[in-house]
């Protein structure tokens, strides 16, 4: 009975996070689910505290990256970049799509997939509307790039910190994931380019004036660039990336705040900090699930994949994880995988395939990742509703070939 109760609470909590009944925020459902586990004595208080502490590097990373992203947004850096891209593309819609796609790749690699969603989605919508061109190709490009580019670097997706603890160093990471990332991005671009070929024909009205960057905005650009460079170097040297990201994020906000206190106040007030208790609640819930012995089934699947021929094992592990993403969202799936990978008999190439499934698999459905949920919320604020079935159709056309080829490429 306790095991059944744990599973019921876990599934209801995850469903509530995805559906948001009564408009209640995702983090409240996650924290409530974790609290119920403890209050019902389904998980000990000490175990829950330890599960929450296990997420400290992830919380630190998210706090730092959210601070940097919000600081750039407040200073208008991304509006400036979007207009610059429109001018450089010289009224060629297909070229503009390519520039935006490439810009989203770079931003995701350096600032995480959530940062890309939060910053480029409104900029892409404003850009498309201002140029009087179809919004859909540019909006979907942001959503799919945010996941497809999220395993270029260890810092490109908070889920990477969830799955691997500690993160592999930068050079070994690139040796494993550089080729699959490139393949996934090329396929994603090709499919989107083909699907929206008609919308991307022709030209658009080029913005005549570029928003002027204030001295504070220029200083912010320099500070953020330095902060990102430090984080990338830290990943290369094997330092604790999460704590480094937190430190440079705080220092960046302080540095800009000394010159312009209003910017720091806006960062503190407006950044989506609620993602931290959301992730913390999920860590506790998955620990309770683990106590039922359910994670042994996940470990059994990974061991089974490890015993298969190399390629088949990768496709099997990555495919199973992708389905799990679509069903329960990749954050809880990532936490499950984190603990499952700690078992014996799991081959490194299977662990690599699992990470690709966690990061790239969420392109399959609208509810499969926090980044995609944020994307849908931001579109809704702009008066654009996304049909989940339409997203599933487009997502399948993008995800199946990109995931399969990425899994075949990973070592």
């Amino acid at each position: 009975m306790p095991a059944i109760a744990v599973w019921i609470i876990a599934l209801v909590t995850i469903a509530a996070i995805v559906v948001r009944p009564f408009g209640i925020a995702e983090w409240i459902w996650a924290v409530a689910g974790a609290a119920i586990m403890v209050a019902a004595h389904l998980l000990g208080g000490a175990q829950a505290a330890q599960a929450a502490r296990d997420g400290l590097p992830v919380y630190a990373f998210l706090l730092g990256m959210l601070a940097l992203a919000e600081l750039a947004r407040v200073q208008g850096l991304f509006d400036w970049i979007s207009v610059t891209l429109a001018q450089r593309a010289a009224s060629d819609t297909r070229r503009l799509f390519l520039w935006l796609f490439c810009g989203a790749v770079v931003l995701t690699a350096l600032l995480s997939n959530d940062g890309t969603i939060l910053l480029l989605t409104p900029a892409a919508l404003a850009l498309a509307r201002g140029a009087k061109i179809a919004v859909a190709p540019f909006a979907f490009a942001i959503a799919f790039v945010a996941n497809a580019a999220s395993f270029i670097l260890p810092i490109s997706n908070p889920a990477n910190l969830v799955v691997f603890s500690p993160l592999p160093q930068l050079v070994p990471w690139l040796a494993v994931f550089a080729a699959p990332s490139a393949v996934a991005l090329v396929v994603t671009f090709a499919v989107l380019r083909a699907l929206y070929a008609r919308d991307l024909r022709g030209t658009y009205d080029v913005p005549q004036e570029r928003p002027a960057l204030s001295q504070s905005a220029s200083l912010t650009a320099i500070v953020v660039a330095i902060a990102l460079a430090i984080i990338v170097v830290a990943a290369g040297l094997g330092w604790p990336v999460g704590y480094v990201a937190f430190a440079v994020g705080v220092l960046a906000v302080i540095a800009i705040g000394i010159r312009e206190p209003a910017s720091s106040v806006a960062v503190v007030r407006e950044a989506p900090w609620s993602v931290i208790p959301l992730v913390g609640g999920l860590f506790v819930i998955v620990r309770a699930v683990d106590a039922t012995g359910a994670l042994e089934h996940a470990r059994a699947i990974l061991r089974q994949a490890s015993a298969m021929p190399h390629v088949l094992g990768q496709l099997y592990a990555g495919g199973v994880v992708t389905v799990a993403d679509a069903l329960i969202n990749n954050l809880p799936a990532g936490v499950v995988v984190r603990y499952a990978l700690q078992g014996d008999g799991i081959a490194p190439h299977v662990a690599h395939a699992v990470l690709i499934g966690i990061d790239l698999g969420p392109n399959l459905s609208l509810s499969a990742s926090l980044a995609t949920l944020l994307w849908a919320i931001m579109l809704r604020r702009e008066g654009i509703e996304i049909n989940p079935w339409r997203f599933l159709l487009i997502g399948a056309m993008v995800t199946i070939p990109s995931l399969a080829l990425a899994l075949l490429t990973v070592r």
Side-chain angles (χ1 to χ4, degrees), residues 136 140 144 196 199 386-397:
F140 276 92
F144 288 128
Y196 290 104
D199 291 328
I386 298 296
N387 185 309
W389 297 109
R390 175 172 170 76
F391 189 96
L392 181 64
L393 176 62
I394 298 174
M397 289 187 285

Side-chain angles (χ1 to χ4, degrees), residues 207-347:
Q208 297 302 312
E209 294 185 6
R210 185 185 310 171
L213 285 179
S214 65
Q215 289 185 345
S216 294
S218 299
L219 178 61
T220 299
I222 295 172
V223 169
V224 171
I226 293 173
L228 294 176
I230 291 172
I231 294 171
V232 172
V233 170
L237 297 176
W239 296 351
V241 176
Y243 298 116
V244 172
F246 176 77
V248 297
V250 171
L251 290 174
V253 173
I254 291 173
I256 300 302
I258 292 173
R259 179 183 179 89
E260 191 176 301
S263 293
S264 295
V265 172
V267 168
V268 173
R269 286 180 176 176
E270 299 174 17
W273 307 117
S274 60
V275 69
I276 307 301
L278 168 64
V279 176
L282 290 174
F283 270 98
V284 174
I285 289 169
V286 173
R287 179 60 62 88
V289 172
D290 188 22
T292 70
L295 290 185
E296 277 305 317
H297 294 293
R299 295 186 184 109
I301 290 174
L302 297 183
R303 292 190 186 104
Q304 185 179 10
S306 299
M308 293 179 177
H310 197 97
V311 171
L312 288 179
Q314 291 174 177
L315 291 172
Y316 176 62
V320 168
V321 170
T322 296
V323 173
D325 292 341
L327 293 175
I328 64 172
N329 189 273
N330 76 331
L331 271 178
V335 178
V336 171
V337 165
R338 173 193 179 95
Y339 293 117
L341 288 174
Q342 296 173 4
D344 296 328
I346 299 171

Side-chain angles (χ1 to χ4, degrees), residues 374-394:
L374 286 172
W375 175 77
I377 291 169
M378 297 188 75
L379 291 180
R380 195 177 303 122
R381 289 176 178 174
E382 297 290 333
I384 300 174
E385 290 289 340
I386 298 296
N387 185 309
W389 297 109
R390 175 172 170 76
F391 189 96
L392 181 64
L393 176 62
I394 298 174

